Amino acid sequence: MSDPLLALQGIGKSFLGVRVLGGVDLEVRPGEVHAVVGENGAGKSTLMKIVSGVYPPDEGTIEFAGAQRHFSGPRDAQRAGIGIVHQEFNLLPQRTVAENVFLGREPRRRGLVDRRAMLGRAAELLASVGEGSLPPDTRVGRLGVAQQQVVEIVKALALDARLIIMDEPTAALADHEVGQLRALVRRLQQHHIGVLYVSHRLAEVFDLSSRITVLKDGRRVTTVNTDEVTADQLVRHMVGRELSGYYAERAKPDERGPVRLAVRAGGNRILRDINLQLRAGEVLGVGGLRGAGRSALARSLFGVSPFTTGAVTIDGEPVRLRSPRAAMRAGIAYVTEDRKGEGIVAGLSVLDNALLASRAVRPGWAGRGARAARIRDLLAAVELRAAGEDQDIRFLSGGNQQKVVLARWLALGPRVLLFDEPTRGIDVGSKSAIHDLVRRLARAGAAVLVVSSELPELLGLSDRLIVMRDGRIAGELPAGSSEEDVVALAVGTTRESVG
Amino acid sequence: MEIAERRPLPLRLRRFRAGSLVPIVMLLAVLLVLIAVRQPNFLAPPSLLSFLGRSTPIILLAAGQYFVIVSGEFDLSVGSLVTAQVVVAARLIDSEPSRTWPVVALLLTFGILVGLINGLVTTRLRVPSFITTLGMFLILVGAVYLWSDGAPKGGLSEEFRRFGRRAFEDVPGLGRVQYALLVLLAVATAAVLLSRSDFGRTLVAVGGNPRTAELSGVRVWRAKTIAFVLSGLAAALAAILLGGYSGVSFQAGAGLEFAAITAVVLGGVALGGGRGSVFGAMLGALTLEMLFALLNFYGVSGALKSTVQGAIILLAVAVSSVRSTSR
């Protein structure tokens, strides 16, 4: 066993008083592929940012290549030999492969860029990772995602990286491209380069890594040798928390009405083979990992990025959901996950925000008084706490802003309500108020769909669950399912075999 | 908790909600006092009314510009549109009274059409409105020069000119009341009502956050296009009044776009959209004109006009952004 290349000890980090990492130990040996797994928000990204010098740790030590390090920034970490390949690439599409690889460090001769030397060295590096067939003078913009990733990796190698961090490297890759990446990672191992591999996809983690570290809620749960653990055990390590919080009673079977919303074979750029039925009076939860298509599902039903194939019916009537406006006319409402960016209009009053949708769909002077009165009733019904209806919405708490958004939709009397992360960024007290509202709306006869990455919320709120993976519905679960069931479907250890 | 609140700006600046009318009314009052000291008879009803009549075109343009700016866009084409309208009117009427009304109708249509093009190019072709309307500005200037071979031709009829010149004489207590003031009253009323209507409030939301508006069922492109049309229409009305008032020249509308934008900003409307009132914008125009009148009384050269406008825009925007980032 060789000396570790990277050794982290007791790494901790807080943001604005919130502890996101604490006491994390981690070790990568030369030539080792060390996987880091965990749920959304487990602290993986923060840990990677600490290793790559983006954040300094609040506590703990970083030892790299035999010396203690205090990186002053990403460039410092880079100089020390730590390269990072991001989920989103940092490449210049108008420049060639070679220019990207040597950006800012072009080989020079008599003060001018020595193009020939640059192309030659880029070709050597590409050949060293088995990608000799990629011409170094191609413009990066013309390459596919997988090849761009190769360029990112070669760029790191050009900096003499001895450790390469790969953050969700396969998130953007098609299935056949994943094989290519695997070959590349093996090559890196042969060159004794250590790899820190962050991924949601357990299949690849098992395929590529020699050890796995599981993070949960900012702490290290365990580090295991890959060949001594099963996927099920891993999932239990990732989840393993207690259910907490109170949720209103679920719908009784007789409270569920007829099928309100039905999608057959729905698909678009992100989603495939979406078949689902949503009944009046029920809350359908949508789980899955970030990027699995949960939000995309809600957004296609609301016409933001519409289905391009398949058919949707509401109460048996075919509907075309080409735009939010069309979806609204069909009786659908959508509470976005990005409240600040597309939920509220900061600078406008509570009343103006609440009236936005009504004004857009049913404008006119007639019935203005009745409409305003109805909005006031709704704002009272959602128990809004504000200084007054003329208060600028930006000064309300997240929970109260969400109530205003909800009132905006309720004014239209929607038959289908789509909630995307309904309690994101909302304090605990308001959370249960929002949960109660969701249940009350279902009880009043609405068909409700809730997307959430918080498992306790998803399990507590839903009468039924679907779990998304890679743009498809990976499976359906009844009420009372466990967090392990959801995660297992989300990462793909059931229904499809590992490896 | 005992955390001392940071006050990076004097309290006075922060107390007013953005878009509040208090600052502009205060500024107007200060100007009135200064004028009263220097030129007391300016404040007598006849000369005040005459001043108001002269200011009407810029007030109309400010009202039109308000709708565009509050929706998050700019209209730089109104000055050249006014020039084009005046020159076109002169040539088409060619001092022939019977052509007056058809040409008036034509001018209004022309204004609407230019606004429509500005709006559609900005929203459908996704050209930033700064560029769209700057392009329209250049197109109109060039087209008018070309069409008139470099010098205005023809002349306006007496009928046409009376919109900007004539008045009800000897109104008890007021004296001379210009026709322009009736136009002002009508347009101001319509603008205020429109800004409080569903359309007007929706437009403010569009300027405040177009994504939210879109996801709430607002057809953002349509709302913005209508705003440009309103601005074009305001330019047509302003041109009809100005043609009568100051006559035909290639300078008829020069610089009016910046005057209108300055006025709107002065009236508390946020550049970039989402905040402000049309009443404030119109008061801003009045204040601007009054400022120029005051400078005139104090013998400051009229050549400083654009410098003053530039300084006002910079100052007003700086104050409002410092205020909004210091929250």
Side-chain angles (χ1 to χ4, degrees):
Chain A
M1 194 163 288
S2 47
D3 284 341
L5 178 65
L6 172 78
L8 305 180
Q9 262 183 351
I11 296 290
K13 182 79 191 167
S14 301
F15 291 108
L16 304 166
V18 180
R19 199 174 169 85
V20 292
L21 278 181
V24 174
D25 300 341
L26 187 96
E27 203 184 81
V28 183
R29 298 176 198 128
E32 176 189 28
V33 178
H34 193 126
V36 178
V37 300
E39 275 191 284
N40 294 336
K44 300 179 304 248
S45 294
T46 309
L47 186 63
M48 295 309 121
K49 284 184 174 148
I50 286 172
V51 175
S52 59
V54 178
Y55 305 139
D58 294 342
E59 310 151 12
T61 57
I62 303 173
E63 216 176 279
F64 181 69
Q68 191 135 329
R69 309 280 178 160
H70 303 277
F71 297 130
S72 61
R75 288 187 69 96
D76 195 21
Q78 227 170 49
R79 265 195 299 274
I82 296 179
I84 182 157
V85 179
H86 292 278
Q87 265 176 69
E88 290 95 25
F89 304 137
N90 293 318
L91 297 173
L92 304 176
Q94 300 297 333
R95 302 293 190 85
T96 66
V97 170
E99 283 166 339
N100 268 286
V101 166
F102 292 105
L103 189 69
R105 301 166 291 106
E106 294 85 354
R108 285 172 188 277
R109 237 179 79 193
R110 283 187 240 116
L112 296 174
V113 173
D114 186 347
R115 305 193 66 83
R116 194 181 302 169
M118 188 165 81
L119 287 173
R121 281 183 50 195
E124 277 170 34
L125 286 167
L126 285 165
S128 75
V129 293
E131 296 286 341
S133 60
L134 182 62
D137 56 353
T138 321
R139 273 199 298 117
V140 161
R142 298 178 54 189
L143 300 178
V145 178
Q147 286 174 311
Q148 292 195 22
Q149 200 164 47
V150 170
V151 178
E152 278 272 14
I153 292 168
V154 167
K155 192 174 163 184
L157 292 179
L159 285 157
D160 295 321
R162 298 169 65 185
L163 175 76
I164 293 184
I165 299 170
M166 295 193 184
D167 190 3
E168 297 286 347
T170 56
L173 297 187
D175 289 345
H176 64 275
E177 293 167 331
V178 174
Q180 217 174 322
L181 178 75
R182 180 185 307 133
L184 204 149
V185 170
R186 294 267 178 257
R187 291 267 183 171
L188 295 179
Q189 281 188 287
Q190 285 164 19
H191 293 285
H192 299 288
I193 290 167
V195 176
L196 254 178
Y197 194 92
V198 179
S199 181
H200 273 130
R201 300 191 185 186
L202 292 195
E204 290 156 25
V205 165
F206 275 97
D207 187 22
L208 281 173
S209 69
S210 41
R211 284 192 297 172
I212 304 171
T213 290
V214 182
L215 293 183
K216 182 169 75 71
D217 301 335
R219 302 199 159 264
R220 187 185 67 141
V221 178
T222 182
T223 298
V224 291
N225 290 326
T226 306
D227 47 18
E228 291 167 12
V229 70
T230 67
D232 280 348
Q233 287 168 334
L234 206 55
V235 166
R236 251 195 309 281
H237 284 313
M238 285 162 67
V239 180
R241 85 160 90 74
E242 312 233 326
L243 256 178
S244 62
Y246 162 80
Y247 290 90
E249 226 175 290
R250 295 203 176 75
K252 299 179 188 72
D254 61 324
E255 283 178 329
R256 292 193 208 173
V259 173
R260 166 127 311 155
L261 174 86
V263 183
R264 256 188 312 110
N268 58 25
R269 262 185 53 233
I270 301 168
L271 302 171
R272 275 170 296 170
D273 300 330
I274 301 298
N275 290 292
L276 69 88
Q277 293 195 331
L278 181 56
R279 291 178 177 278
E282 89 172 332
V283 178
L284 176 66
V286 181
L289 298 168
R290 190 181 302 145
R294 301 171 311 193
S295 294
L297 176 62
R299 291 174 88 80
S300 53
L301 286 172
F302 194 61
V304 183
S305 39
F307 286 125
T308 48
T309 59
V312 182
T313 58
I314 291 184
D315 289 334
E317 298 281 323
V319 288
R320 288 194 57 205
L321 310 171
R322 304 171 256 101
S323 66
R325 200 177 166 84
M328 285 164 68
R329 292 212 179 274
I332 301 177
Y334 170 65
V335 177
T336 175
E337 64 174 326
D338 181 8
R339 191 163 48 249
K340 202 168 158 216
E342 52 180 44
I344 64 167
V345 183
L348 250 57
S349 70
V350 165
L351 192 62
D352 277 336
N353 268 284
L355 279 167
L356 191 53
S358 309
R359 279 175 168 151
V361 189
R362 295 175 208 138
W365 290 92
R368 269 184 133 209
R371 193 177 64 189
R374 185 166 154 69
I375 282 285
R376 287 186 187 107
D377 288 347
L378 285 168
L379 290 173
V382 298
E383 288 166 1
L384 177 74
R385 303 219 193 294
E389 61 184 34
D390 292 327
Q391 193 183 8
D392 186 339
I393 194 170
R394 95 177 85 183
F395 300 126
L396 297 187
S397 69
N400 279 308
Q401 290 179 351
Q402 193 74 311
K403 288 173 183 174
V404 175
V405 172
L406 195 53
R408 175 196 298 161
W409 290 118
L410 297 183
L412 300 180
R415 292 182 284 178
V416 178
L417 279 149
L418 312 171
F419 288 92
D420 197 353
E421 305 288 357
T423 62
R424 171 171 295 172
I426 288 176
D427 62 283
V428 182
S430 301
K431 262 187 184 179
S432 62
I434 301 276
H435 291 153
D436 277 350
L437 278 167
V438 169
R439 179 48 70 187
R440 262 160 59 196
L441 291 168
R443 198 155 286 156
V448 181
L449 183 134
V450 176
V451 173
S452 177
S453 44
E454 283 185 46
L455 288 177
E457 171 173 280
L458 199 62
L459 292 163
L461 212 49
S462 313
D463 297 314
R464 200 157 59 88
L465 284 166
I466 56 175
V467 179
M468 305 286 300
R469 186 173 73 238
D470 292 339
R472 298 169 194 268
I473 296 177
E476 188 182 321
L477 296 167
S481 302
S482 68
E483 298 195 10
E484 284 84 350
D485 296 334
V486 179
V487 174
L489 268 176
V491 297
T493 57
T494 46
R495 291 195 67 186
E496 280 169 28
S497 60
V498 170
Chain B
M1 272 198 288
E2 280 200 67
I3 298 169
E5 199 185 328
R6 246 163 31 103
R7 291 205 185 284
L9 275 180
L11 186 63
R12 219 173 319 124
L13 271 181
R14 306 188 67 207
R15 202 179 322 157
F16 309 118
R17 273 200 351 205
S20 154
L21 290 179
V22 178
I24 184 69
V25 170
M26 274 170 30
L27 182 55
L28 195 56
V30 169
L31 288 177
L32 280 173
V33 169
L34 288 175
I35 289 178
V37 170
R38 180 81 189 191
Q39 201 90 17
N41 40 2
F42 179 82
L43 298 181
S47 82
L48 205 56
L49 281 184
S50 144
F51 168 77
L52 209 53
R54 278 199 309 278
S55 309
T56 296
I58 185 69
I59 297 177
L60 299 187
L61 288 175
Q65 190 75 241
Y66 159 81
F67 289 105
V68 176
I69 287 186
V70 89
S71 81
E73 306 291 343
F74 278 100
D75 190 350
L76 297 179
S77 69
V78 289
S80 71
L81 180 55
V82 166
T83 304
Q85 302 255 23
V86 170
V87 173
V88 166
R91 178 150 177 192
L92 289 184
I93 293 176
D94 204 9
S95 309
E96 173 60 55
S98 65
R99 295 186 192 152
T100 302
W101 286 104
V103 168
V104 166
L106 184 84
L107 294 187
L108 294 177
T109 316
F110 183 32
I112 291 172
L113 190 70
V114 168
L116 197 63
I117 295 171
N118 279 338
L120 291 177
V121 170
T122 300
T123 57
R124 300 312 259 185
L125 303 183
R126 295 173 195 280
V127 179
S129 58
F130 203 83
I131 302 298
T132 308
T133 56
L134 188 63
M136 182 58 82
F137 173 102
L138 295 172
I139 289 169
L140 288 173
V141 168
V144 164
Y145 270 103
L146 187 70
W147 192 60
S148 52
D149 296 326
K153 294 199 169 47
L156 299 170
S157 62
E158 228 6 79
E159 267 75 20
F160 190 95
R161 308 201 76 161
R162 76 179 167 195
F163 297 117
R165 282 189 166 174
R166 295 277 296 276
F168 301 105
E169 305 291 344
D170 300 324
V171 177
L174 296 172
R176 221 171 162 263
V177 175
Q178 296 170 76
Y179 290 177
L181 289 177
L182 297 185
V183 177
L184 176 61
L185 194 65
V187 171
T189 310
V192 168
L193 286 179
L194 190 61
S195 74
R196 296 191 177 166
S197 71
D198 283 343
F199 167 76
R201 299 310 301 160
T202 301
L203 204 58
V204 180
V206 163
N209 189 336
R211 279 299 290 162
T212 300
E214 189 88 52
L215 290 193
S216 300
V218 177
R219 282 164 291 187
V220 169
W221 70 270
R222 191 168 164 272
K224 286 188 171 180
T225 302
I226 294 175
F228 278 106
V229 167
L230 290 172
S231 180
L233 196 57
L237 288 173
I240 292 168
L241 295 180
L242 269 176
Y245 202 86
S246 26
V248 182
S249 92
F250 282 137
Q251 299 307 313
L256 287 183
E257 63 286 319
F258 287 112
I261 291 171
T262 311
V264 169
V265 170
L266 199 56
V269 182
L271 286 183
R275 248 171 291 152
S277 75
V278 72
F279 192 65
M282 292 189 290
L283 277 187
L286 193 63
T287 308
L288 189 65
E289 286 294 291
M290 208 162 271
L291 181 65
F292 290 142
L294 184 72
L295 292 178
N296 193 27
F297 293 147
Y298 279 86
V300 179
S301 163
L304 269 179
K305 244 181 152 176
S306 70
T307 307
V308 171
Q309 284 181 20
I312 290 175
I313 291 189
L314 294 184
L315 199 68
V317 173
V319 166
S320 78
S321 23
V322 168
R323 187 168 51 186
S324 62
T325 51
S326 66
R327 267 188 238 285

